[in-house]
């Protein structure tokens, strides 16, 4: 499937400790958000978004809800020096979406699941695009000398 929508502006990355997210555990304290935000604006966001829209299962109605709720602006991306990767936190709809009456077109768990899964996939593709095509720095983490050598 594909989604025929224009890419939104890339998110502005806030100074949040990624360890505060339930789904992230990051060592170190230099998250390089300014560098990542610059790379997103230089084309990484648009490249990743284009790749994502070509294969996402989200439809235009699901995307419209995500945009109306401002979910895209709540993405977070950060450098994880220990793992030599870009980490992310994808926004999503809460389990109590129905009680909170978040959006008039939000009427099923299927829609909630499609939006949450779609945004998670977008976040992953953004991370992969950044690492593969835009980041030219190396991790500063030096492993201790006493780690076992698994190649032997």
């Amino acid at each position: 499937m594909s989604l025929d929508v224009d890419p939104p502006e890339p998110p502005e990355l806030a100074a949040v400790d990624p360890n505060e997210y339930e789904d992230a555990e990051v060592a170190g304290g230099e998250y390089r958000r300014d560098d990542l935000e610059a790379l997103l604006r230089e084309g990484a966001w648009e490249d990743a978004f284009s790749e994502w829209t070509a294969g996402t299962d989200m439809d235009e109605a699901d995307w419209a809800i995500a945009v109306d709720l401002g979910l895209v602006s709540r993405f977070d991306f950060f450098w994880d020096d220990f793992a030599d990767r870009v980490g992310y936190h994808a926004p999503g709809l809460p389990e109590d979406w129905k009680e909170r009456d978040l959006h008039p077109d939000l009427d099923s768990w299927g829609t909630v699941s499609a939006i949450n899964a779609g945004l998670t996939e977008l976040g992953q593709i953004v991370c992969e695009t950044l690492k593969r095509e835009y980041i030219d720095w190396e991790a500063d983490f030096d492993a201790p000398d006493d780690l076992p050598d698994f190649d032997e």
Side-chain angles (χ1 to χ4, degrees):
M1 228 166 105
S2 79
L3 179 63
D4 186 21
V5 295
D6 292 328
E9 289 295 312
E12 293 181 16
L13 306 182
V16 174
D17 182 345
N19 292 304
E20 292 180 21
Y21 301 128
E22 291 178 12
D23 58 353
E25 186 175 326
V26 181
E30 177 55 45
Y31 304 121
R32 301 187 82 152
R33 284 194 172 91
D34 290 341
D35 296 329
L36 292 172
E37 193 170 320
L39 294 172
L40 291 172
R41 295 201 177 284
E42 290 169 12
W45 177 259
E46 194 166 322
D47 290 348
F49 192 82
S50 176
E51 180 182 334
W52 175 72
T53 57
T56 186
D57 288 333
M58 278 182 79
D59 62 23
E60 280 79 7
D62 297 339
W63 178 248
I65 293 169
V67 169
D68 287 350
L69 293 174
L71 295 177
V72 175
S73 67
R74 297 195 336 235
F75 267 104
D76 188 19
F77 298 96
F78 47 87
W79 179 247
D80 182 348
D81 198 54
F82 181 77
D84 190 32
R85 70 176 179 97
V86 178
Y88 74 102
H89 176 73
L93 297 169
E95 289 185 21
D96 65 348
W97 61 272
K98 194 176 248 183
E99 293 82 20
R100 294 171 69 179
D101 196 28
L102 295 175
H103 192 279
D105 296 329
L106 192 58
D107 57 5
S108 74
W109 277 106
T111 300
V112 170
S113 295
I115 291 170
N116 287 348
L119 293 176
T120 298
E121 291 166 355
L122 175 57
Q124 184 62 43
I125 290 171
V126 170
C127 291
E128 291 167 0
T129 300
L130 281 164
K131 182 73 169 131
R132 180 181 63 238
E133 299 176 26
Y134 286 87
I135 292 177
D136 61 0
W137 64 72
E138 296 293 324
D140 292 330
F141 175 77
D142 289 323
D145 293 332
D146 60 351
L147 288 178
D149 186 2
F150 294 107
D151 293 334
E152 294 178 5

